[in-house]
């Protein structure tokens, strides 16, 4: 197993900060778009931490599909459902920008939390951490 460098540890810590921020905002009933953004950021940073741990060059991207595919290229045992990654990206990015031609989309926050909880557990386990 590859070692967790100080940089990998920092990415994990930042990801966990996003996780905790999402919990605080959600429990306060605050802006759900911000909650979803922090949840997406948590998973993005955990993907990057795992790729760094495996010594894979990490692209400057926010695309969870791309990060998941990179992880799968170095570990065929890794898989994440595309529909889940797309839902998370939509909730975190696309819904953050108003479109006057469209009604404000509804966010299924319970589903987003479920997706993130599952991915977070899997990625933290790979990183040798207990969620």
């Amino acid at each position: 197993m590859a070692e967790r460098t100080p940089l990998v540890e920092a990415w994990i810590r930042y990801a966990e900060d996003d996780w905790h921020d999402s919990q605080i905002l959600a429990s306060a009933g605050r802006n759900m778009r911000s909650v979803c953004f922090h949840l997406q950021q948590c998973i993005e940073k955990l993907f990057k931490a795992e790729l760094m741990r495996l010594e894979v060059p990490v692209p400057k991207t926010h695309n969870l599909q791309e990060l998941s595919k990179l992880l799968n290229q170095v570990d065929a045992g890794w898989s994440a459902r595309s529909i889940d990654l797309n839902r998370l990206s939509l909730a975190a990015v696309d819904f953050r920008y108003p479109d006057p031609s469209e009604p404000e989309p509804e966010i299924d926050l319970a589903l987003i939390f479920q997706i993130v909880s599952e991915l977070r557990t899997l990625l933290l386990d790979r990183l040798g951490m207990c969620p």
Side-chain angles (χ1 to χ4, degrees):
M1 178 159 131
E3 301 252 347
R4 289 195 323 246
T5 65
L7 183 57
V8 169
E9 294 288 343
W11 278 96
I12 295 168
R13 191 172 57 254
Y14 282 29
E16 288 297 277
D17 287 348
D18 279 310
W19 172 255
H20 294 294
D21 289 347
S22 73
Q23 306 299 302
I24 292 166
L25 289 168
S27 67
R30 302 297 300 160
N31 182 330
M32 292 304 116
R33 289 181 305 277
S34 292
V35 172
C36 290
F37 177 74
H38 283 290
L39 290 169
Q40 186 275 346
Q41 285 291 290
C42 171
I43 298 306
E44 178 184 328
K45 290 169 185 166
L46 289 175
F47 268 129
K48 290 178 177 181
E50 176 61 356
L51 290 167
M52 286 179 196
R53 185 185 70 81
L54 296 172
E55 300 177 353
V56 175
V58 178
K60 290 187 178 189
T61 184
H62 302 290
N63 186 319
L64 299 180
Q65 291 275 13
E66 183 179 344
L67 295 169
S68 184
K69 285 179 185 175
L70 274 175
L71 185 51
N72 178 259
Q73 288 173 4
V74 295
D75 180 354
W78 169 259
S79 69
R81 292 173 11 132
S82 292
I83 192 167
D84 289 343
L85 297 175
N86 285 337
R87 280 186 180 123
L88 186 51
S89 292
L90 283 171
V93 180
D94 293 353
F95 293 164
R96 289 180 58 86
Y97 301 97
D99 182 347
S101 67
E102 298 281 331
E104 188 166 333
E106 300 227 357
I107 298 171
D108 185 346
L109 194 58
L111 178 59
I112 298 302
F113 265 114
Q114 177 185 345
I115 292 167
V116 171
S117 293
E118 291 170 5
L119 287 170
R120 178 176 167 263
T121 297
L122 290 170
L123 288 163
L124 285 174
D125 184 57
R126 291 180 62 93
L127 288 157
M129 307 281 294
C130 293

